[in-house]
Amino acid sequence: MTSGVGLLTIFVLAVFVGFEVVAKVSTMLHTPLMSGANAIHGVILVGAILVAGRASGAVELTLGLVAVALAAANMVGGFVVTDRMLEMFRGRSAPGQPRPAPSGSADRRGGS
Amino acid sequence: MGRPGVDLAYLVAAVAFILALKGLSSPRSARRGNLIGAAGAVLATVVVLTTEHLAHLPEILAVMVLGGGVGVLAARRVAMTAMPQLVALFNGVGGGAAALVAVLEFTGRGHQPLGTGAATVFAIVVGSVSFSGSALTFAKLQELMTTRPVVLPAGRWVSVGTAVAVLVAAAWLAATGGGSPATLVLVVLAVLALIFGVLFVLPVGGADVPIVISLLNAFTGLSVAASGYLLGNVLLIVAGTLVGASGTILTRLMAQAMGRPLTSTLFGAFQARDATAVTAGAADRPVRTGSPEDVAIMLGYARKVVLVPGYGLAVAQGQHALRELAELLVDRGVAVEYGIHPVAGRMPGHMNVLLAEANVPYDQLKEMDQANSEMSSTDVALVVGANDVVNPAARTSPGSPIYGMPILNVDQAQSIVFLKRSMRPGFAGIDNELLFDPKTTMLFGDAKDSLTKVVAAVKGL
């Protein structure tokens, strides 16, 4: 499956999946969705680890390690920040239903 | 684990990413979706670390912990209001990483077939554009530089020239497929692409920056996919392409929420710019100011009040004070609603996040269309730290940079109160005629301070 055409096939199919998956999304979720997608492309970490692990010579290794650090920040930070955003939507009940008691932690974080 | 096992693990991770995006598209499943995505990413990372017989493993693990640690720290510490900048920053470093991977993979091999050369060039150029472009969006959102569109003299030609130079260098590299001067050309190419990224974002006005972040996010995704092609790694191709495709759709949806096509967002600054200076000298014009007590009386004896929160409220951390005011008014029998513009804050949906953080009841939040349909029966529209999203210029002056953007029609309410720091124009840098309207009352000051004073005054009624 690693032939050029095989990879191209995967690429084209993934384009359609990507289009389909987010076709209908409310404006309320645009920000978390962008942030979540941002975290997903942090998987370039896998590529960075591969090139760093095969690097020969100091320059190559340095560049490879820089790539690993950047990719790790993208991936880990991306998922954490998305989770923090989505945490804010937690406990939101449908109109008419009683709301759970406001959590103190959300209030404290407001000032940070 | 053998090769099939590795590929199987990558397949599981790819499915996890699809489920993550799917989950993030609906409020009910969003958080779970994000966790599924994170699990997929962890799985992929563990598999590559344990199965690939890597050299330099200790160094790799060390910088991974370092980069990841910085990421977690930034993600946990950042204020909710600064979220867009942080997403831009994460996106930029991801693009930079993708470009570096492509550079290393290309120089690490000998002569390349055309397809590989093209993918290399694509990953380097698009990744670099995303890196420098994101850095500039960060600077704009953090207000390290002006948020107004910056148009260099002959900026359009510099942009076009840079783009052409990138293409020529790219074509040469793709066609010759390596050889001895390849590294030099790669460096030149990367530098040109970095410059182009800056030129690409400079003319974009502050209010449109989130759309550009979304676009650059899609760019980074495609750059990752191209790197995956170089490495023959199916997971990178799937994940990168998913982000590229969904990011493109999301960018279009965001542009629609702003009410204009993407092209005018990106290149609008090069077109009609004459009408923006119409209200120059506005600072000398009279405005009606009121005291907190005046505002309290207007609100306290109204039948219906619409609260329009904007970014200024969030900056002042006044969400809790606003909620307190709303509760007081409801206790007095006033009908209170929040009118939420889709792009209130700095990103679509940003204000919903900020108000949810302050425990504002969900059923009081009205989306723009609904709020507008009730605006003419509203006694007082209280605009807190918002400006561009209520600026009637979006309806009335075709030359304005925000013309065509749907706004909250607070000008149709019986009276309007602005809580604002100063007469300074909003993030888009445009004056607002509404501030000078006879039915407008201004209460200057920090949003939280003003709200606290108004709350105290309402209690004393």
Side-chain angles (χ1 to χ4, degrees), chain B residues 26-309:
Chain B
S26 146
R28 210 170 282 278
S29 56
R31 199 163 181 210
R32 192 179 56 215
N34 186 53
L35 291 178
I36 292 173
V42 169
L43 172 70
T45 309
V46 170
V47 166
V48 74
L49 283 173
T50 50
T51 59
E52 293 287 347
H53 310 292
L54 302 161
H56 318 298
L57 202 53
E59 293 95 323
I60 291 175
L61 286 173
V63 295
M64 252 181 72
V65 171
L66 181 74
V70 170
V72 169
L73 218 62
R76 298 206 72 88
R77 288 278 172 83
V78 69
M80 271 293 158
T81 43
M83 207 60 92
Q85 290 92 303
L86 190 67
V87 174
L89 214 56
F90 285 150
N91 179 52
V93 296
L100 278 175
V101 168
V103 169
L104 290 171
E105 185 61 16
F106 191 76
T107 52
R109 304 199 222 164
H111 192 79
Q112 303 293 325
L114 186 61
T116 318
T120 308
V121 167
F122 183 87
I124 293 172
V125 169
V126 177
S128 303
V129 167
S130 183
F131 180 76
S132 62
S134 297
L136 200 66
T137 56
F138 175 81
K140 283 200 178 208
L141 287 171
Q142 195 72 27
E143 303 194 15
L144 299 174
M145 59 175 290
T146 173
T147 55
R148 291 172 182 240
V150 175
V151 179
L152 298 175
R156 192 196 321 214
W157 300 112
V158 178
S159 286
V160 170
T162 313
V164 169
V166 166
L167 287 178
V168 169
W172 184 85
L173 209 64
T176 57
S180 55
T183 313
L184 181 67
V185 176
L186 278 183
V187 172
V188 172
L189 192 66
V191 171
L192 285 175
L194 288 172
I195 295 171
F196 183 72
V198 171
L199 293 174
F200 180 70
V201 177
L202 267 181
V204 177
D208 290 332
V209 164
I211 295 181
V212 176
I213 298 179
S214 177
L215 188 67
L216 292 174
N217 191 33
F219 279 11
T220 304
L222 292 176
S223 178
V224 168
S227 296
Y229 183 88
L230 288 177
L231 292 162
N233 187 306
V234 174
L235 178 62
L236 291 194
I237 297 180
V238 173
T241 311
L242 277 176
V243 175
S246 62
T248 309
I249 296 281
L250 186 59
T251 307
R252 276 193 51 210
L253 289 174
M254 283 189 185
Q256 274 167 16
M258 305 281 272
R260 54 225 189 91
L262 191 55
T263 46
S264 84
T265 303
L266 296 178
F267 310 114
F270 291 121
Q271 294 147 13
R273 293 182 34 78
D274 27 318
T276 49
V278 167
T279 50
D284 305 331
R285 292 166 59 191
V287 294
R288 194 169 70 169
T289 57
S291 68
E293 289 73 24
D294 298 335
V295 174
I297 289 170
M298 289 174 73
L299 294 172
Y301 292 101
R303 273 177 299 113
K304 187 168 167 191
V305 172
V306 171
L307 308 174
V308 180

Side-chain angles (χ1 to χ4, degrees), chain A residues 31 41 53 55 83-84 92 110, chain B residues 31 75-76 78 217 317 348 362:
Chain A
T31 296
H41 68 51
D83 189 62
R84 237 189 95 189
R92 255 198 186 182
Chain B
R31 199 163 181 210
R76 298 206 72 88
V78 69
N217 191 33
Q317 289 294 335
Y362 185 54

Side-chain angles (χ1 to χ4, degrees), chain B residues 285-289 383 386-387 390-392 416-420 422-426 430-442 444:
Chain B
R285 292 166 59 191
V287 294
R288 194 169 70 169
T289 57
V383 183
N387 192 351
V390 297
N391 190 342
I416 308 153
V417 178
F418 273 93
L419 302 191
K420 250 175 92 54
S422 65
M423 289 301 285
R424 242 188 74 198
I430 315 151
D431 283 320
N432 190 345
E433 276 298 303
L434 201 55
L435 303 183
F436 308 102
D437 195 286
K439 59 182 184 181
T440 298
T441 304
M442 304 291 302
F444 290 114

Side-chain angles (χ1 to χ4, degrees), chain A residues 10-105:
Chain A
I10 292 169
F11 170 76
V12 172
L13 294 179
V15 168
F16 281 94
V17 175
F19 281 164
E20 267 324 296
V21 160
V22 299
K24 277 180 249 155
V25 51
S26 84
T27 38
M28 191 178 83
L29 280 171
H30 281 179
T31 296
L33 180 62
M34 186 208 304
S35 178
N38 174 51
I40 288 175
H41 68 51
V43 77
I44 186 65
L45 178 60
V46 168
I49 291 172
L50 282 172
V51 293
R54 292 186 208 142
S56 55
V59 178
E60 269 192 30
L61 181 61
T62 309
L63 288 178
L65 291 178
V66 169
V68 170
L70 293 181
N74 179 186
M75 186 171 102
V76 180
F79 282 115
V80 172
V81 85
T82 309
D83 189 62
R84 237 189 95 189
M85 257 185 245
L86 293 169
E87 197 184 20
M88 301 303 162
F89 290 101
R90 182 195 49 184
R92 255 198 186 182
S93 45
Q97 288 174 10
R99 273 176 61 80
S103 70
S105 67

